[in-house]
Amino acid sequence: MNKSKKIRHLFDKKIDFANNDSLELPDEAYTCTKWSIPSFQNEKEELNRTKSLLNQFNLEEWSRHTKHRDPSSYIIRFVKQKFHPELVTQAWCKFYECLCNYSLIPKDAITSGCFSSFHLCEAPGAFISALNHYIVSHNLNLQWNWGANTLNPDYEGNSLQEMIPDDRLLRHTYKNWYFGIDFTGNITKYCNHLDLVNKIPQKVWLVTADGSVDCSFDPGNQELHVEFLHYCETLTGLALLKPGGSFVLKIFTMFEDSTICLLYLLNVCFGKVSVFKPGSSKSGNSEVYVICLHFKGLKVLDKIWDSLIFPYKTGHFDVHKSMFDLNKINKDFLNQLLHISGFFMKKQIEHIVDNIKFFKNDSQNESGRIHQIKVYVANRYINKYKLRSISQHFKLVSALDISQFLSNEINKIQFVNGVAKFEVENLIQMNITCDILDVKLGERFNQVRSSRFCSKDNKFLNKIKPHGPFYKHIENKLKATSTVISLDSNFDAYCEFQKHVFYQIFHSNKRNFIIVGVPLLTNFLVGLMFILVSCFKQIYIHRSGFIVLCEGDLEKNRQVFTIIDESYRSGNNCDILQVVPPNLFYNNNFFDFVWNYNQIVLIPE
């Protein structure tokens, strides 16, 4: 196959399901015994046999090799250099392709001039940025309202391994993001599904779902590990969509009963369903996008909704049950799906085998050929989809350039004789009033699993430096006029420690505070310190790991502390997760103050 045909094929990996008007849903869901289909399982075994050939290679070497040979790997670079999109990533490029290949913005929305979308599992926000770029560059002149959900990077009970902590868009569009009733952002929890559906009473024209989970520990069963997430994304998407709307769902392979049933469900609920692998998607992986157009409305599901949503309510699938009885699924649909699944599986296998062939037999000529292909593919992408730049004024964050990752540039504290002195007005350039409070209640966590307020190579708990003799000297000197807060006491859960810290502050009548070796890792503690510090005139950090607050008056913010106390009293089984908006910390020197202090207190891994 010559080069031009290969490139055309790269951008033409899509198959439509045939007319689905004759498909009917069973009368109930999750009542039949678990089943599998041998022909689909044979495809799974064939793909896994090919994947197992990779076990002979060093993982890092193989990753470098496949990245080098990926024909789409120049697309992001070319798009970024020529058009400067906002938040351009591989996800941006993939979704832009979806937008260009399918009418995801329904004609009724374009006619009315009002368009709404919601984006599930969306961090860092590339789909939103791509959609904005598409709308503006195509002069659609739409009044667009959008919302998004993702695992909350401000919830310290979420692990860094489970989420994307890139918040360069999120921090500037915070009001558009929904993290559920427990503040975790976890859409696989039914309480968050209900909260989201209730908070978005106006149905939307487009829902996207780009979620996944880390399956590197068991890549041969990726589909099984993501099946519950895809089910939750789908049911939430259907509940948010208005009739005539569109739904985009990322999936992987299509071998298991859960995916077969999910695709059958979507074919019944939508007028047209396609499976699409964008040219900018890595050819060696299983990812594809299910494109669903012309939603028929939730009324289609009236009879089975209660049984369909039952696993969502329980939080898991019954391992002995399938969504639908196999005998109730249209045979023509199964034949179509077997063909579609086989098509994408074979393309993936071809690419893996090709990469294996050249792993040990690469040459300068081959590298030159690959380079030419990658340039050709990137230019083909730009020309095929007629990319254009848009004005900074029309970007989501018009006042800033967030195209590059905005890492915090921390100003290091200067110590003199082991002590750094601060004037409060230089740390917090605002008055603390009840108006700035933004108290969030949510799910308690026992251990800090992620933190914005320290480097990622630090352990979050139980690695506190031991108290040195200087602590005792300071404590003895100031104990008559000071409240001392430390980690000396034992707490089973970090949330209990946070509550303990608050009530030490709330009940204090002292003019000075000493914070001894307490890592400020959570939005709650940092927000509490933000409020506390504002009550004092001078602050000192000692290099050995403690803070001294001098000449304070807690009555200055008594009303603020009282509101937090009332929140604790009314919180029932929830915990307070933040007391002020996280964005406040990035607009002054307080973030640098906290970061530097944590670097002193925490011991690196």
Side-chain angles (χ1 to χ4, degrees):
M1 186 182 297
N2 64 40
K3 182 171 68 174
S4 61
K5 285 186 178 180
K6 277 190 174 183
I7 302 311
R8 283 201 300 273
H9 183 69
L10 184 69
F11 290 102
D12 198 29
K13 295 180 183 177
K14 54 183 178 180
I15 303 181
D16 298 340
F17 283 94
N19 190 297
N20 53 20
D21 290 341
S22 62
L23 301 185
E24 294 182 357
L25 278 177
D27 293 331
E28 52 190 359
Y30 296 107
T31 59
C32 68
T33 303
K34 188 84 168 174
W35 51 262
S36 65
I37 301 177
S39 52
F40 284 84
Q41 291 300 307
N42 291 339
E43 285 188 348
K44 177 181 178 179
E45 290 175 7
E46 183 180 354
L47 177 60
N48 284 341
R49 276 196 301 271
T50 303
K51 287 182 177 180
S52 69
L53 299 175
L54 307 182
N55 295 335
Q56 61 185 302
F57 305 125
N58 175 274
L59 181 59
E60 289 186 9
E61 287 184 60
W62 176 256
S63 296
R64 284 195 299 270
H65 173 68
T66 55
K67 184 177 180 179
H68 166 67
R69 290 190 59 81
D70 177 13
S72 67
S73 61
Y74 284 1
I75 291 176
I76 296 174
R77 184 200 308 176
F78 277 44
V79 170
K80 185 181 296 186
Q81 290 175 345
K82 294 187 177 185
F83 306 103
H84 310 288
E86 188 176 33
L87 198 62
V88 61
T89 64
Q90 191 167 37
W92 190 102
C93 296
K94 290 184 293 186
F95 189 57
Y96 201 84
E97 284 193 69
C98 293
L99 288 162
C100 291
N101 278 279
Y102 298 92
S103 300
L104 294 178
I105 302 176
K107 288 182 179 179
D108 287 349
I110 296 174
T111 302
S112 69
C114 295
F115 175 61
S116 52
S117 64
F118 199 90
H119 307 271
L120 299 168
C121 304
E122 174 58 14
F127 275 27
I128 302 165
S129 173
L131 180 53
N132 180 64
H133 197 100
Y134 180 87
I135 291 171
V136 174
S137 63
H138 284 71
N139 300 311
L140 294 184
N141 194 28
L142 293 172
Q143 181 184 333
W144 174 39
N145 295 308
W146 65 270
N149 148 271
T150 200
L151 283 176
N152 187 359
D154 282 314
Y155 177 74
E156 290 86 10
N158 285 334
S159 168
L160 285 171
Q161 285 70 44
E162 296 172 349
M163 63 179 177
I164 299 174
D166 179 351
D167 69 338
R168 51 188 150 156
L169 175 64
L170 191 156
R171 73 167 67 171
H172 299 291
T173 57
Y174 203 76
K175 62 181 176 60
N176 296 77
W177 296 78
Y178 296 80
F179 299 120
I181 198 166
D182 65 0
F183 206 53
T184 65
N186 188 346
I187 199 61
T188 65
K189 295 182 178 181
Y190 184 65
C191 62
N192 290 336
H193 163 87
L194 284 179
D195 185 66
L196 179 57
V197 171
N198 289 333
K199 284 181 177 175
I200 313 291
Q202 298 297 319
K203 303 292 186 180
V204 301
W205 282 114
L206 170 65
V207 175
T208 67
D210 196 38
S212 186
V213 297
D214 181 12
C215 303
S216 57
F217 61 94
D218 188 19
N221 287 305
Q222 182 181 34
E223 187 177 338
L224 293 173
H225 292 298
V226 298
E227 62 181 5
F228 191 70
L229 173 61
H230 290 168
Y231 156 83
C232 295
E233 288 177 313
T234 299
L235 264 60
T236 300
L238 297 179
L240 292 175
L241 270 180
K242 63 172 62 181
S246 309
F247 180 51
V248 178
L249 173 69
K250 180 171 73 177
I251 65 170
F252 298 96
T253 50
M254 296 162 266
F255 306 136
E256 310 294 349
D257 67 297
S258 55
T259 309
I260 294 169
C261 289
L262 199 64
L263 290 170
Y264 187 72
L265 175 71
L266 291 173
N267 270 272
V268 172
C269 291
F270 289 85
K272 179 181 178 182
V273 179
S274 302
V275 182
F276 175 51
K277 187 171 181 66
S280 52
S281 175
K282 293 178 181 176
S283 301
N285 66 27
S286 302
E287 130 189 301
V288 294
Y289 288 88
V290 184
I291 311 292
C292 308
L293 306 176
H294 316 306
F295 182 47
K296 298 175 183 177
L298 271 182
K299 66 180 187 301
V300 176
L301 301 174
D302 279 349
K303 286 197 301 184
I304 69 163
W305 183 258
D306 288 343
S307 59
L308 188 64
I309 206 165
F310 182 75
Y312 210 158
K313 293 179 178 180
T314 62
H316 59 85
F317 287 138
D318 182 336
V319 296
H320 303 296
K321 303 288 185 182
S322 291
M323 181 186 291
F324 299 136
D325 186 334
L326 178 58
N327 295 319
K328 300 292 179 68
I329 297 179
N330 184 286
K331 298 298 185 292
D332 287 341
F333 166 82
L334 291 175
N335 290 332
Q336 285 186 66
L337 184 57
L338 183 63
H339 167 68
I340 293 170
S341 174
F343 171 81
F344 288 103
M345 178 208 68
K346 285 181 172 59
K347 296 302 176 187
Q348 183 181 359
I349 287 177
E350 285 174 9
H351 193 77
I352 293 173
V353 170
D354 187 62
N355 279 335
I356 291 174
K357 174 183 175 182
F358 287 99
F359 185 68
K360 295 296 186 182
N361 300 296
D362 208 355
S363 66
Q364 190 170 353
N365 288 340
E366 178 64 15
S367 293
R369 188 182 72 85
I370 291 295
H371 170 74
Q372 288 181 339
I373 289 175
K374 291 193 285 190
V375 171
Y376 187 91
V377 167
N379 285 322
R380 173 68 176 158
Y381 178 97
I382 289 168
N383 294 328
K384 180 178 175 64
Y385 300 123
K386 299 179 174 62
L387 261 72
R388 295 165 49 200
S389 298
I390 66 172
S391 166
Q392 181 70 32
H393 173 72
F394 291 109
K395 293 182 179 179
L396 296 167
V397 184
S398 57
L400 294 171
D401 179 9
I402 63 166
S403 60
Q404 302 297 323
F405 188 84
L406 297 180
S407 58
N408 292 296
E409 295 182 7
I410 307 300
N411 296 312
K412 290 189 176 181
I413 290 176
Q414 301 298 317
F415 290 93
V416 179
N417 297 325
V419 177
K421 178 182 177 182
F422 303 89
E423 300 294 335
V424 170
E425 61 186 16
N426 293 327
L427 287 181
I428 304 173
Q429 293 91 29
M430 64 183 303
N431 294 322
I432 306 299
T433 66
C434 295
D435 292 339
I436 75 159
L437 285 182
D438 185 21
V439 178
K440 297 291 188 186
L441 299 176
E443 183 176 294
R444 294 176 175 174
F445 54 87
N446 294 332
Q447 186 177 9
V448 177
R449 303 178 70 199
S450 61
S451 175
R452 292 176 179 269
F453 306 105
C454 71
S455 57
K456 294 175 183 145
D457 60 351
N458 277 335
K459 284 203 179 289
F460 295 136
L461 285 179
N462 304 321
K463 286 289 184 181
I464 310 305
K465 289 183 178 180
H467 296 178
F470 200 73
Y471 290 120
K472 292 300 179 184
H473 171 71
I474 292 293
E475 187 176 344
N476 290 334
K477 186 174 181 180
L478 297 177
K479 65 181 178 181
T481 59
S482 300
T483 296
V484 179
I485 299 176
S486 71
L487 269 175
D488 286 340
S489 302
N490 292 321
F491 295 92
D492 293 331
Y494 202 81
C495 58
E496 294 177 9
F497 170 67
Q498 294 190 144
K499 188 173 183 178
H500 169 74
V501 171
F502 169 73
Y503 279 108
Q504 279 190 289
I505 295 170
F506 186 68
H507 295 304
S508 174
N509 58 5
K510 302 292 181 65
R511 296 183 66 246
N512 301 314
F513 269 77
I514 309 174
I515 314 296
V516 182
V518 176
L520 303 175
L521 299 175
T522 63
N523 278 285
F524 174 82
L525 278 184
V526 174
L528 186 61
M529 282 295 295
F530 188 77
I531 297 167
L532 176 64
V533 163
S534 69
C535 299
F536 292 82
K537 294 181 179 179
Q538 293 181 334
I539 305 170
Y540 301 87
I541 292 183
H542 193 274
R543 194 191 294 276
S544 58
F546 63 90
I547 300 171
V548 179
L549 311 178
C550 297
E551 300 179 49
D553 179 12
L554 294 187
E555 293 305 312
K556 178 181 176 182
N557 287 329
R558 180 56 61 187
Q559 190 177 0
V560 174
F561 290 127
T562 299
I563 292 174
I564 299 172
D565 170 56
E566 291 171 351
S567 299
Y568 262 127
R569 293 174 185 271
S570 64
N572 298 323
N573 293 322
C574 296
D575 190 37
I576 300 178
L577 300 173
Q578 73 175 45
V579 290
V580 298
N583 288 357
L584 281 185
F585 309 137
Y586 302 109
N587 298 329
N588 49 61
N589 298 321
F590 192 73
F591 185 90
D592 292 358
F593 170 84
V594 171
W595 183 281
N596 279 279
Y597 168 72
N598 282 334
Q599 298 307 108
I600 297 169
V601 173
L602 294 169
I603 296 177
E605 290 185 4

